[in-house]
Amino acid sequence: MSVETAPRRRRLEPDARRGQILACAVRLFGERPYADVSTTDVAREAGVARGLVNHYFGAKKDLYLEVVRVMVTIPEVALERLPKGDLRTRVDASVTWFLDVVSRHSTSWLAAVTARGMGGDADVERVLAEAEEVAADRMLVAVGLAGEAEHREELRGMVRAYGGLATSTAREWLQRGVLTRAQVHLLLTTTLLTIVEQVIPQVIADREPTRPER
């Protein structure tokens, strides 16, 4: 969920050139529906030959899937940059990072999470589902629960549900203008802290085997 969006018309190394093309695709697919963007448009925006777009990404749909993936997947570097500290500090930093990213790339992020023009496509649904799984695992790391093996699937389910709330709440802010950023931040931090500090301990306690009476 982090990509530079300013094209650079100069000689670049392959990884940098690929990133430049992807950045242009992110912007274009954010501004227009899928059907209204071509690989020629992306190539023109990036200042490269269309064949280079195909070389790095394949067909138009493959490029689009990569755009969706980069917009909705939490990168590992986001975990690496979390501050050391107590749970509240890390939760606050995690929510701040999420809101910073979705607001910086708001049109592209909204287009990705709603899959504008590609609703119901199986490949898009797969990419979105994979991103949910990555987010669940990385959020458990962020809140210090990565080592909880016995109840792992239940915890991942709760975190996936929280991810749905985060997406819906961000849309209320960015798309509908109903909530402010401060309100979204308060809702998401308070909810995540409640899940980690109150709900998860109760779930774990309820699942602990009872000791036989003597």
Side-chain angles (χ1 to χ4, degrees):
M1 290 176 64
S2 179
V3 59
E4 287 294 328
T5 56
R8 291 174 169 79
R9 297 176 184 275
R10 56 186 174 83
R11 184 178 296 278
L12 298 174
E13 295 299 319
D15 286 348
R17 178 66 73 193
R18 183 184 187 280
Q20 175 194 351
I21 294 169
L22 181 59
C24 293
V26 164
R27 183 167 60 252
L28 290 178
F29 282 119
E31 295 171 350
R32 311 176 201 167
Y34 175 82
D36 292 347
V37 179
S38 68
T39 53
T40 299
D41 295 331
V42 174
R44 184 183 302 114
E45 185 76 7
V48 302
R50 188 179 67 176
L52 198 59
V53 176
N54 299 134
H55 169 73
Y56 283 120
F57 297 99
K60 170 184 165 180
K61 184 177 179 181
D62 298 316
L63 174 60
Y64 177 75
L65 292 175
E66 187 61 22
V67 166
V68 174
R69 182 178 292 108
V70 77
M71 281 291 98
V72 300
T73 302
I74 297 176
E76 190 170 357
V77 68
L79 286 179
E80 296 170 354
R81 293 177 180 173
L82 279 181
K84 305 298 181 184
D86 60 15
L87 174 64
R88 290 176 180 270
T89 298
R90 291 173 68 80
V91 165
D92 182 81
S94 298
V95 172
T96 297
W97 175 86
F98 171 70
L99 297 183
D100 284 347
V101 170
V102 300
S103 61
R104 187 180 309 126
H105 305 294
S106 59
T107 56
S108 299
W109 180 78
L110 287 167
V113 296
T114 58
R116 187 171 62 187
M118 294 287 285
D121 183 89
D123 291 324
V124 172
E125 294 299 325
R126 173 179 52 79
V127 170
L128 294 174
E130 289 171 354
E132 285 183 350
E133 299 304 321
V134 170
D137 289 334
R138 290 182 176 163
M139 185 58 72
L140 288 178
V141 173
V143 299
L145 290 171
E148 179 56 58
E150 185 176 355
H151 304 279
R152 184 170 182 79
E153 288 311 306
E154 292 163 291
L155 301 192
R156 293 178 82 254
M158 291 181 190
V159 174
R160 284 195 300 269
Y162 173 78
L165 172 68
T167 297
S168 297
T169 308
R171 290 183 64 187
E172 294 294 334
W173 166 41
L174 297 171
Q175 191 172 44
R176 299 186 177 93
V178 174
L179 300 178
T180 66
R181 172 171 174 146
Q183 290 169 334
V184 173
H185 190 279
L186 177 62
L187 176 59
L188 294 183
T189 53
T190 303
T191 302
L192 185 53
L193 284 169
T194 300
I195 291 172
V196 176
E197 294 180 329
Q198 299 180 36
V199 178
I200 288 176
Q202 185 62 52
V203 168
I204 292 175
D206 289 346
R207 288 289 301 273
E208 293 292 340
T210 56
R211 295 182 178 180
E213 295 183 2
R214 294 183 179 181

